[in-house]
Amino acid sequence: MNSNQVDPVNIQAGSTAENGQYLTFSLGDEEYGVDILKVQEIKGFVPTTRIPNSPHEVRGVLNLRGTIVPIVDLRRKFNLEPVEYDQFTCIVVVVVQERVMGMIVDSVSEVMNIPSADIQPPPDFGNGLVGNMLRGMARTGDKLIILLDIDAVLLGDSVGMAMAA
Amino acid sequence: MNLDMTIFHQAFFEEAADLLAELETQLLRLEEAPNDIELLNTIFRCAHSIKGGSATFGFTDIAHFTHGLETLLDRLRNGQAKVSGELTQLLLESLDQLKSLLAVARGEAASAPNSEPLIARIDAAIADSEGQKPTIAAVAAEPEIANEVQRYVFRFVPNRDVMRQGSDPILMLRNLFEMVEEVQVRCNRSNIPLLNDLDPEACYVSWEMEFNSIHPMTSLLEPFEFVSDECEVSLTAVAGYWEDNAQPVTTIVAAPTLADSAVQEVTAAAASSTAPAAETSVNAAAKMETHTLRVSTDKIDKLINLVGELVINQSMLNEVVQHFEISNLPRLLEAVAAMERASRELQERVMAVRMLPIKHAFGRFPRLVRDLAATCHKKIDLRTTGEETELDKSVIEMIADPLTHLVRNSIDHGLETPEERIACGKNEMGVVSLNAFHEGGNIVVEVSDDGRGLDKDRIYRKAIDRGLISESDPMPPDDVLHNFIFHPGFSTAAKVTDLSGRGVGMDIVKQAVQGLGGAISLSSTPGHGSRFRIRLPLTMAILEGLSLRVGDEVYILPLTSIIESIRPKAGDVRVVAGQTEVAMVRGEVLPLLRLYQFFGVEPVVTEPTRGLLVIVENDGRKIALLVDELIGQSQVVIKSLESNYRKVDGIAGATILGDGRVALIIDVPGLYRNVMPAQPIMSTAA
């Protein structure tokens, strides 16, 4: 399992960040957060080139200043209803394991400081896919933010990256 | 010195590899022209540079080994020794030893053969050249004093330009002082000029000193090894103290012949004790090795000029656009055209930076052929043409091994023995040719011989044995038959004798060539020899491609694999066995692949007569691809899909179109693998 190899790295990164900064974005009714250090840039949605014989959630590839970047649609990844892309739709470009990848989200919200004390471990889903993709849950005010382990999300088996790693 | 030398090691390895290659070429020429003094000078210079470099970077064993070699070469150069066949052999063996030592230093090999027997032979050769044998005496004397405290008188007069050449006398002295005690130093400052005339970068002082040391002279002189040619360095062992007016015991004056290899035992011992430490640091260096490229300054100057032109073009364009009126349109078009010209040329020149002449790959063959000729007892004339043909650096690196295999193959199996040749009425000297040339956007490299040619009957029988064809099949045509030898497991041992029993087959050669995007073919005439022909793309970074539309998606097909494209008539496409579709093209029946099906595209054209068939060939097998339409031909820059994603079936890579969108490049060999995995080889011929 690729995600199992990824985990130790994240635990380490999480433990050193006493006051971790997270980029939050919305997807459906939920608010998600990813480690800001993994984010390279945010850009508006642009059409991608489909890659044949690839998993459903890999929407295609994009030319990012001369680099070919695969784009994962997080709605597809999380089995959410598809929506029309609009002016709020964003591509969050992240660097995971030295790979540049993009993910499509409904809209980007803000950069938040979340003290590690406010982060609860994810509820026990067993050792399934869902459990591996979560780093924890953070409560700020009345909002619950789901913190993603982005390496596991993007490099997990279902995106088909395991073949490459 | 605390300076971390490992960062320079890579440069040294590259330089040493170049020097060794040069040395090899020159040594082989020396066999033919033993009295060419210029040749001897070149050889000496190569050895000298290797010694210098290895000593600086702390590869003591290489420096030590080369030192003896250098002394011998110096004797040759001065006419004190004569070049003989035996001596050339010794020099070539020394060269091999140097290669092994370098491989160890690079961390590529765990250990090298012991240098000592060769050093002994070199010493013997040196001694022969002298008639007398002072070196033997020195061998006896040196170890005795090695562990005893010895008083030395040392004089060091640096060259005035020594600091400008990058050497620091103080550093050298500091290194010396680590090895000595009870030092008395006199510094001669009489040459220092008045401040007005003083050049701050010149060295005006010299030193005379006396010290005790338990180290042998060679170690003491080591810090000065690099400046010994330009500076006066002398070290004298004295019996007692300076004031005692003692008689010198031995004097070694630093000169190119300094510190004879006579002290081999001592230095070798020292080298072995420091070896583990050196090895670890070298391994670290090998890990962080980066690929580098030497580029002639000429090429870079041209690039700089072009970039300058591009900047001017761009500012011109800016100006036109800023105050744009429609009457300015011609000027705008002109500026864009100039920009296009400059950027196209820039692209070509940048690609040219990666290009190296193929002689880098050919360079190893004269030696290989010489050695093989000796082991096979054959007489071989190696002819090379087109050595200046340029190829991408990575292609050159990867083609060298397949070429070596082909050359060995030609010599082992192709060429007959001199007796057989004479019996056939041929010249007893067999010819192996290596040719490289351009042919229509490709580079072709040919390896041919004038030997016996392939034995068709044996290949036919072997193919039946291996179940590639059945016994009832007639003898297939030559090209099909020849292709069998590229089949995995189709051992070369099927053909006559095999001297070396190497585990590499022709299928590996074929794989390597295909990995480079190339193709290999073979022609052979019984009794007259055979010829392997490798066709390679000019570069792996740019591809001449045909863009085509499938549904509403655009794909790029490499032009080299396209034979033709046709619009099929009704009835040209048939269904065989209710499933497989085939296309009839001029009487040939080709498997048909609907690209929209393979790539899962929402189809627009499903009726073959409304689309186009593009006939592609790979490996001598053709298939017809159904596409919607052809868009046009263009050069595309290949971008990796794998660096951020992964390998995708049927896709070789991606490229960026003029409008910034990404288009995928079709992997033609990959189509075959995925479409017809279980296709028998004889599909078209059977």
Side-chain angles (χ1 to χ4, degrees), chain B residues 12 47-73 94 97-98 101-102 105 113-123 126 135 139 142-143 216-219 222 225-226 256-275:
Chain B
F12 165 66
H48 182 67
S49 306
I50 293 170
K51 177 188 123 180
S54 49
T56 322
F57 295 112
F59 301 114
T60 0
D61 45 349
I62 301 178
H64 170 57
F65 181 75
T66 325
H67 179 73
L69 192 62
E70 191 190 11
T71 315
L72 178 59
L73 287 168
S94 310
Q97 176 67 16
L98 269 179
L101 289 173
L102 264 170
N114 190 355
S115 308
E116 293 308 322
L118 262 177
I119 292 181
R121 282 170 61 193
I122 292 172
D123 285 345
I126 297 172
T135 44
V139 169
E142 203 64 62
M217 281 192 175
T218 40
S219 307
E222 214 164 69
E225 191 144 31
F226 264 90
T257 49
L258 134 122
D260 254 289
S261 57
V263 284
Q264 41 166 303
E265 286 157 51
V266 179
T267 351
S272 63
S273 65
T274 56

Side-chain angles (χ1 to χ4, degrees), chain A:
Chain A
M1 283 285 279
N2 199 2
S3 48
N4 285 347
Q5 294 163 3
V6 168
D7 272 334
V9 179
N10 282 326
I11 290 161
Q12 208 174 19
S15 63
T16 48
E18 279 289 302
N19 242 332
Q21 283 200 316
Y22 292 85
L23 176 79
T24 63
F25 54 84
S26 69
L27 207 59
D29 300 328
E30 305 299 334
E31 196 74 1
Y32 293 85
V34 293
D35 185 352
I36 192 82
L37 295 176
K38 306 250 179 189
V39 177
Q40 179 185 311
E41 63 187 275
I42 300 163
K43 57 183 283 149
F45 179 76
V46 285
T48 55
T49 300
R50 197 184 63 88
I51 313 172
N53 307 326
S54 289
H56 179 62
E57 62 257 37
V58 179
R59 195 172 169 86
V61 283
L62 197 66
N63 162 25
L64 190 74
R65 295 182 297 278
T67 310
I68 306 292
V69 177
I71 306 293
V72 173
D73 188 331
L74 277 197
R75 273 190 172 264
R76 290 184 181 177
K77 173 82 192 172
F78 295 157
N79 290 322
L80 302 175
E81 285 294 307
V83 289
E84 287 278 313
Y85 295 138
D86 56 22
Q87 73 268 34
F88 297 112
T89 309
C90 278
I91 296 176
V92 180
V93 180
V94 291
V95 182
V96 286
Q97 313 254 309
E98 293 181 355
R99 288 170 196 272
V100 183
M101 298 180 83
M103 47 188 190
I104 302 176
V105 301
D106 287 0
S107 68
V108 167
S109 314
E110 60 184 315
V111 176
M112 288 176 88
N113 275 318
I114 303 179
S116 50
D118 290 1
I119 302 177
Q120 295 170 12
D124 191 2
F125 295 107
N127 202 19
L129 253 181
V130 182
N132 281 336
M133 292 194 292
L134 301 188
R135 184 187 276 185
M137 322 278 273
R139 183 170 292 282
T140 57
D142 54 351
K143 276 195 297 188
L144 184 70
I145 297 170
I146 304 161
L147 302 181
L148 293 175
D149 177 348
I150 203 65
D151 294 45
V153 173
L154 294 180
L155 299 181
D157 282 351
S158 64
V159 187
M161 295 299 298
M163 281 171 70

Side-chain angles (χ1 to χ4, degrees), chain B residues 327-392:
Chain B
S327 61
N328 275 342
L329 190 60
R331 279 191 58 203
L332 177 65
L333 292 178
E334 197 183 305
V336 170
M339 188 92 172
E340 188 187 327
R341 221 174 21 246
S343 54
R344 184 172 296 266
E345 201 177 336
L346 185 66
Q347 183 195 17
E348 274 166 26
R349 297 246 186 251
V350 171
M351 296 320 296
V353 166
R354 286 187 61 88
M355 304 297 253
L356 290 176
I358 199 167
K359 69 174 169 211
H360 287 268
F362 282 2
R364 62 162 85 172
F365 292 117
R367 174 73 191 280
L368 180 82
V369 169
R370 175 191 179 276
D371 291 355
L372 274 179
T375 44
C376 304
H377 308 292
K378 291 177 182 173
K379 293 192 175 171
I380 305 162
D381 180 12
L382 177 75
R383 294 179 187 166
T384 52
T385 56
E387 291 165 299
E388 294 303 321
T389 313
E390 290 198 327
L391 261 178
D392 193 283

Side-chain angles (χ1 to χ4, degrees), chain A residues 49-55 58 61-63 66-70 98-101 159-161 163-164, chain B residues 553 555 598-601 639-646 648-649 651 654-656 660-664:
Chain A
T49 300
R50 197 184 63 88
I51 313 172
N53 307 326
S54 289
V58 179
V61 283
L62 197 66
N63 162 25
T67 310
I68 306 292
V69 177
E98 293 181 355
R99 288 170 196 272
V100 183
M101 298 180 83
V159 187
M161 295 299 298
M163 281 171 70
Chain B
E553 295 182 5
Y555 289 88
F598 182 69
F599 287 145
V601 183
K639 300 271 182 182
S640 161
L641 201 56
E642 285 161 63
S643 59
N644 287 323
Y645 187 48
R646 64 173 170 91
V648 176
D649 284 348
I651 301 296
T655 188
I656 294 163
R661 281 186 306 148
V662 179
L664 300 175

Side-chain angles (χ1 to χ4, degrees), chain B residues 95-114:
Chain B
L95 180 74
D96 291 341
Q97 176 67 16
L98 269 179
K99 281 184 186 166
S100 331
L101 289 173
L102 264 170
V104 173
R106 263 199 299 266
E108 284 168 8
S111 63
N114 190 355

